[in-house]
């Protein structure tokens, strides 16, 4: 009886596979999987895929997904897209096709279509459906007397890692940074008429700033929908190279990416157009020197490395200083006020950074596109303060 059931299931599976391939030239029905439990994957993967297929009306895509869903509000927005469906009822079908032919055209190719090494999606119009109801946001802004010039910021810390370790077995402690490194920046913003809102689901330490212009929406104050609406409408976003920094990318809202690690030029295409970044520095304990930008970029970092990648290479990870974050924030404000146009002095500084990589033929075209298409750059202040990192 068991043998009969297996045989029947095998025959039905091949029949479905055959029919779907038969009608493919007319109606392309495809299947994929979304790692929805990670906010970075949910945003980045779906955003890229929609850009890939948005002009192809004869494609219908079904995605199964892992749970729990990291952000149900964003997930529900994606569900409103035409010809894309999210349901675990087709999970069996996805795996059946994958077992028959893992390279089948019926399957969405993860690395080519959802998680490409290089992506210029953020230079296009937003793919996320428009939000219809802003009552929650408007009520919050009115209640807290916040004008349009508010800035959202976040940090990643050890408590976040502890709470999410069941979802991610990889070691990412090096992405963490202390929230008090924002102190000078927050005080400057408040003094200059901006409201500051801390976002994120979980935080280990409070920000000890007493002002009605600073609001902490983490932990017990967390509201998923409100935070997404705030990130969409904020003047710009400040955060590290972590999942939450993918949310502003969905809305094509620029970021100041601080404590950026690992340093990888091509990965920089994953973030919002018109953004500025400043990396963490790496001190080589063997050679008693900081790695240059080129040396950092040449590290063979593996996100799935089992262990502390940098510590195992005897590299000490140095967080951005309060002054580096503050001055880069001031840069970001001026950058946005100037319509994301750089001054001659800034262009000169940016040239010094990008010219280091001219000898790398593989990077040459991508560097041009990162600079020209995404208008993505490093903090001028950080370059001038850390000139020894230039080759």
């Amino acid at each position: 009886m068991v043998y009969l059931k297996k045989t029947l299931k095998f025959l039905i599976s091949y029949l479905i596979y055959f029919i779907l391939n038969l009608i493919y030239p007319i109606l392309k029905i495809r299947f994929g999987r979304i790692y929805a439990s990670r906010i970075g994957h949910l945003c980045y993967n779906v955003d890229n895929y929609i850009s890939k297929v948005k002009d192809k009306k004869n494609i219908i895509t079904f995605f199964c997904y892992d749970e729990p869903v990291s952000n149900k509000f964003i997930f529900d927005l994606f569900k409103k897209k035409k010809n894309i469906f999210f349901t675990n009822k087709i999970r069996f079908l996805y795996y059946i096709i994958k077992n028959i032919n893992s390279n089948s055209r019926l399957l969405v190719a993860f690395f080519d279509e959802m998680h490409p090494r290089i992506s210029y999606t953020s230079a296009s119009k937003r793919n996320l459906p428009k939000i219809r109801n802003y009552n929650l946001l408007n009520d919050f802004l009115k209640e807290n007397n916040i004008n349009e010039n508010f800035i959202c910021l976040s940090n990643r810390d050890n408590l976040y890692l502890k709470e999410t370790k069941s979802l991610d077995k990889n070691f990412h402690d090096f992405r963490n940074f202390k929230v008090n490194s924002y102190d000078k920046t927050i005080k400057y913003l408040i003094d200059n008429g901006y409201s500051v809102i801390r976002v994120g689901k979980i935080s280990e330490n409070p920000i000890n700033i007493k002002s009605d212009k600073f609001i902490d929406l983490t932990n017990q104050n967390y509201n998923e929908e409100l935070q997404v609406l705030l990130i969409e409408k904020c003047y710009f976003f400040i955060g590290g190279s972590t999942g939450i920094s993918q949310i502003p990318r969905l809305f094509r809202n620029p970021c100041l990416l601080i404590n950026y690690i690992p340093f990888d030029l091509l990965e920089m295409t994953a973030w919002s157009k018109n953004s500025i970044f400043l990396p963490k520095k790496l001190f080589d304990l063997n050679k008693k020197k900081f790695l240059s930008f080129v040396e950092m970029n040449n590290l063979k970092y593996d996100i799935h490395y089992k262990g502390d990648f940098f510590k195992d290479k005897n590299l000490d990870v140095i967080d951005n200083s309060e002054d580096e974050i503050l001055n880069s924030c001031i840069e970001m404000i001026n950058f946005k006020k100037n319509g994301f146009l750089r001054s001659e002095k800034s262009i000169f500084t940016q040239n010094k950074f990008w010219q280091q990589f001219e000898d790398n033929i593989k990077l040459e075209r991508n560097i041009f596109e990162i600079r020209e298409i995404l208008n993505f750059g490093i903090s001028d202040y950080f370059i001038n303060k850390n000139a020894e990192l230039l080759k």
Side-chain angles (χ1 to χ4, degrees):
M1 189 66 178
V2 174
Y3 176 77
L4 182 61
K5 285 184 178 179
K6 286 184 178 180
T7 303
L8 187 60
K9 184 177 180 180
F10 178 81
L11 292 174
I12 292 173
S13 299
Y14 263 91
L15 179 61
I16 294 172
Y17 179 75
F18 174 77
I19 292 172
L20 290 174
N21 272 293
L22 189 65
I23 66 172
Y24 194 83
I26 303 169
L27 182 62
K28 296 174 171 58
I29 299 177
R30 309 185 71 210
F31 302 88
R33 179 189 172 190
I34 294 293
Y35 296 94
S37 62
R38 307 299 296 174
I39 186 62
H41 275 293
L42 175 62
C43 296
Y44 186 68
N45 296 161
V46 180
D47 194 22
N48 280 314
Y49 183 72
I50 292 173
S51 284
K52 193 88 173 177
V53 303
K54 63 183 175 183
D55 296 325
K56 300 174 182 177
K57 296 180 180 179
N58 65 332
I59 297 178
I60 297 176
T61 310
F62 293 90
F63 283 110
C64 58
Y65 54 91
D66 57 341
E67 297 180 283
V69 174
S70 54
N71 192 297
K72 292 181 180 178
F73 183 71
I74 290 175
F75 189 63
D76 288 341
L77 286 176
F78 277 133
K79 283 183 175 181
K80 295 177 181 179
K81 292 295 293 186
K82 292 182 179 179
N83 296 341
I84 296 180
F85 303 93
F86 299 86
T87 172
N88 277 330
K89 291 180 180 179
I90 56 89
R91 182 184 291 272
F92 79 98
L93 201 50
Y94 167 78
Y95 284 106
I96 284 172
I97 297 170
K98 192 173 182 180
N99 286 333
I100 295 173
N101 180 6
S102 61
N103 295 315
S104 171
R105 60 185 179 178
L106 302 176
L107 297 177
V108 176
F110 180 76
F111 289 108
D112 290 340
E113 299 179 275
M114 294 195 295
H115 205 88
R117 180 85 167 94
I118 302 167
S119 169
Y120 301 108
T121 296
S122 71
S124 66
K125 292 182 180 179
R126 61 180 260 182
N127 293 316
L128 201 67
K130 289 185 178 180
I131 299 169
R132 302 297 180 189
N133 190 344
Y134 287 96
N135 290 337
L136 178 64
L137 174 66
N138 293 333
D139 290 346
F140 173 82
L141 296 179
K142 184 177 180 180
E143 180 183 341
N144 291 281
N145 195 27
I146 297 173
N147 61 26
E148 61 182 13
N149 290 331
F150 65 91
I151 289 172
C152 292
L153 56 79
S154 73
N155 77 297
R156 187 180 191 277
D157 56 36
N158 286 324
L159 183 58
Y160 172 85
L161 190 69
K162 291 174 184 176
E163 294 292 329
T164 59
K165 64 183 178 181
S166 61
L167 302 176
D168 190 347
K169 303 297 183 182
N170 300 312
F171 184 93
H172 287 169
D173 274 18
F174 51 82
R175 295 183 190 266
N176 298 341
F177 61 93
K178 294 180 179 178
V179 74
N180 60 12
S181 61
Y182 276 129
D183 285 356
K184 284 187 178 181
T185 299
I186 294 173
K187 290 174 183 176
Y188 171 87
L189 290 170
I190 291 172
D191 289 343
N192 284 271
Y194 295 89
S195 294
V196 181
I197 303 169
R198 184 187 189 185
V199 295
K201 192 171 185 178
I202 304 165
S203 63
E204 185 173 33
N205 296 308
I207 296 177
N208 297 313
I209 291 179
K210 306 300 181 184
S211 170
D212 57 2
K213 292 295 183 181
F214 172 73
I215 302 171
D216 191 328
L217 292 182
T218 62
N219 298 328
Q220 69 271 16
N221 296 322
Y222 176 73
N223 182 303
E224 182 178 85
E225 179 179 352
L226 176 60
Q227 290 206 12
V228 173
L229 297 175
L230 286 166
I231 291 172
E232 178 193 9
K233 298 297 184 181
C234 67
Y235 196 58
F236 60 84
F237 178 87
I238 309 176
S241 49
T242 56
I244 193 173
S245 298
Q246 284 294 324
I247 298 179
R249 181 186 193 264
L250 290 178
F251 300 105
R252 309 302 184 243
N253 205 0
C255 297
L256 173 61
L257 292 161
I258 65 171
N259 285 303
Y260 195 101
I261 190 172
F263 185 96
D264 183 339
L265 285 180
L266 295 185
E267 189 190 73
M268 292 169 191
T269 66
W271 312 102
S272 301
K273 180 181 178 179
N274 297 321
S275 293
I276 291 175
F277 80 100
L278 52 162
K280 293 193 179 192
K281 293 188 290 186
L282 298 177
F283 187 78
D284 190 323
L285 296 170
N286 294 327
K287 298 179 180 179
K288 306 299 180 185
K289 64 179 282 292
F290 285 103
L291 296 191
S292 68
F293 292 116
V294 172
E295 289 171 326
M296 286 194 287
N297 192 63
N298 289 339
L299 285 174
K300 303 300 181 183
Y301 173 74
D302 179 1
I303 193 171
H304 300 299
Y305 179 80
K306 301 303 180 186
D308 187 334
F309 178 85
F310 298 102
K311 185 177 181 181
D312 290 349
K313 290 187 176 296
N314 218 17
L315 297 172
D316 195 11
V317 178
I318 310 298
D319 290 356
N320 297 147
S321 69
E322 285 192 60
D323 286 335
E324 287 172 342
I325 297 170
L326 168 61
N327 284 279
S328 298
C329 180
I330 295 171
E331 275 183 55
M332 190 69 204
I333 291 171
N334 293 329
F335 190 40
K336 182 158 186 177
K337 284 182 177 179
N338 292 336
F340 302 111
L341 297 175
R342 300 184 189 279
S343 65
E344 288 187 11
K345 184 178 179 181
S346 177
I347 291 172
F348 177 78
T349 304
Q350 294 296 313
N351 285 340
K352 286 196 297 184
F353 171 74
W354 293 108
Q355 284 169 358
Q356 301 173 95
F357 306 97
E358 286 184 344
D359 295 338
N360 192 325
I361 298 173
K362 292 181 179 179
L363 285 176
E364 187 175 356
R365 179 182 174 185
N366 299 125
I367 288 173
F368 174 80
E369 291 173 334
I370 292 169
R371 291 191 68 180
E372 299 301 318
I373 296 177
L374 297 182
N375 197 23
F376 192 95
I378 192 169
S379 161
D380 293 337
Y381 177 86
F382 185 86
I383 283 285
N384 293 326
K385 185 175 180 294
N386 299 282
E388 72 276 9
L389 303 185
L390 295 167
K391 187 175 71 170

